[in-house]
Amino acid sequence: MTITLDEVLALGEAWCDTLRHGGTIAERETFFLHHPARIYVQESGVTMTLDEHHAYHQQFASQHLVLGDFVLAQLSDDPDRVRAIGSFYWEAHFPEEDGRPPLRCIVGEDWIIERVADGSLKFVLWMNTLHHFLPDSAVNRLKLG
């Protein structure tokens, strides 16, 4: 069964919900086929475990994420895999007492996604390809690691 764009966007939205609503590391781990899961930040060469990713996102009081356009390339039928390339808008607000303006950024994404035996989709590989910080952002480069 071919993986559709609607399915990929639903997977992306479900992931973003874990950031919007304070999901747990264990909840995020369920999105990945291989464990321990890692996120590869291509522009800096850093890889992040989900523990590190979670710790980074814990500093924000709230986050707003909006999926942008994605394109799919069918990679294989057995297993059913696609490559999904796209972006999302990310706005992260620091606690009010911090005084910093929010981070505002376009995040490039390059995902390999596989349909598993139960029919659900899992990330096989997750790469952040870029973080383009907008002019009114609190920072102009992402510092990880």
Side-chain angles (χ1 to χ4, degrees), residues 8-144:
V8 168
L9 294 176
L11 179 68
E13 279 295 331
W15 170 267
C16 288
D17 279 346
T18 71
L19 295 175
R20 293 177 186 120
H21 307 297
T24 66
I25 297 165
E27 181 182 3
R28 291 182 190 138
E29 190 78 28
T30 66
F31 284 83
F32 289 84
L33 183 61
H34 302 291
H35 304 283
R38 298 193 74 80
I39 294 175
Y40 297 83
V41 183
Q42 198 170 18
E43 67 185 327
S44 66
V46 170
T47 65
M48 300 175 77
T49 65
L50 292 186
D51 289 332
E52 293 165 333
H53 184 265
H54 182 75
Y56 179 79
H57 283 272
Q58 284 295 104
Q59 71 181 307
F60 304 112
S62 65
Q63 298 182 75
H64 177 71
L65 298 104
V66 178
L67 287 175
D69 293 331
F70 275 77
V71 295
L72 301 184
Q74 186 73 25
L75 297 178
S76 65
D77 293 325
D78 189 20
D80 189 12
R81 281 189 176 174
V82 296
R83 181 177 183 189
I85 300 172
S87 65
F88 63 84
Y89 172 76
W90 173 46
E91 184 173 302
H93 294 262
F94 293 96
E96 193 171 306
E97 62 273 8
D98 187 285
R100 287 187 281 178
L103 297 178
R104 291 187 176 95
C105 173
I106 303 300
V107 180
E109 298 292 351
D110 191 346
W111 303 331
I112 305 297
I113 299 169
E114 181 176 317
R115 186 180 310 282
V116 296
D118 70 4
S120 65
L121 301 182
K122 302 285 183 180
F123 294 109
V124 176
L125 178 65
W126 180 307
M127 290 191 298
N128 288 137
T129 57
L130 66 90
H131 291 85
H132 175 79
F133 286 91
L134 302 177
D136 61 346
S137 181
V139 299
N140 61 10
R141 296 215 35 95
L142 185 63
K143 293 177 180 46
L144 299 171

